[in-house]
Amino acid sequence: TSQVLMVKNKSFPYKLYEMLEESETLGLSAAVSWNPHGRAFIIKDRELFITDVVPRFFKITKIRSFHRQCHLWGFSRMRTGSDDRDACARGVDAWRHKSFVRGRPQDLEHIERTEIKSLGGRKKKD
């Protein structure tokens, strides 16, 4: 594991990066891996991903919760073109963020979480 990942910051992007770096050595690349160009990651098997991979790194039990975290941290879902419908049918997801790149863990500090709008209409105090 990279020294950058050994910092106490265990926010979602850092855990996600660590998960992808370790997925191959743990034999989990059938479920999730980096895209070949390293600027995105692919969830190849949703069921295997949520049952075998996610519990090792996150306190999430549903794929929708994982997707929500991706959105909250500014990741965008990639569309793969004409075979997109087939990819979705197989449970394949691809996600990217401009500061989430294989081999560049130092860029993770640029990923910020979107603030969740509060329920109840209370304003935040400065």
Side-chain angles (χ1 to χ4, degrees):
T1 304
S2 168
Q3 284 184 333
V4 174
L5 297 177
M6 295 174 81
V7 296
K8 291 188 178 187
N9 184 349
K10 284 293 188 177
S11 63
F12 181 79
Y14 288 85
K15 288 180 183 181
L16 183 59
Y17 191 93
E18 184 178 18
M19 177 193 73
L20 289 163
E21 290 296 295
E22 293 185 13
S23 65
E24 193 170 322
T25 57
L26 294 173
L28 302 169
S29 56
V32 65
S33 69
W34 286 104
N35 210 351
H37 54 62
R39 294 185 305 271
F41 68 94
I42 305 168
I43 300 170
K44 302 173 187 175
D45 183 326
R46 285 182 186 171
E47 188 174 333
L48 186 61
F49 176 71
I50 207 69
T51 58
D52 291 2
V53 181
V54 171
R56 295 175 190 239
F57 300 91
F58 304 100
K59 295 176 184 174
I60 296 173
T61 58
K62 297 178 182 165
I63 193 72
R64 288 187 60 161
S65 298
F66 182 82
H67 288 172
R68 183 171 187 268
Q69 286 299 312
C70 288
H71 284 294
L72 285 171
W73 284 92
F75 285 80
S76 54
R77 203 165 186 174
M78 293 175 53
R79 298 291 173 216
T80 56
S82 61
D83 54 4
D84 198 28
R85 201 174 298 128
D86 293 338
C88 289
R90 290 192 314 270
V92 176
D93 298 316
W95 295 85
R96 62 170 298 184
H97 187 287
K98 66 180 181 180
S99 297
F100 193 80
V101 180
R102 181 177 53 209
R104 298 194 51 87
Q106 66 275 16
D107 292 349
L108 298 175
E109 67 184 63
H110 302 295
I111 301 175
E112 295 182 1
R113 190 173 190 267
T114 304
E115 200 170 305
I116 300 172
K117 295 175 185 172
S118 67
L119 300 175
R122 285 188 241 150
K123 290 186 178 181
K124 261 177 74 172
K125 294 181 181 179
D126 289 352

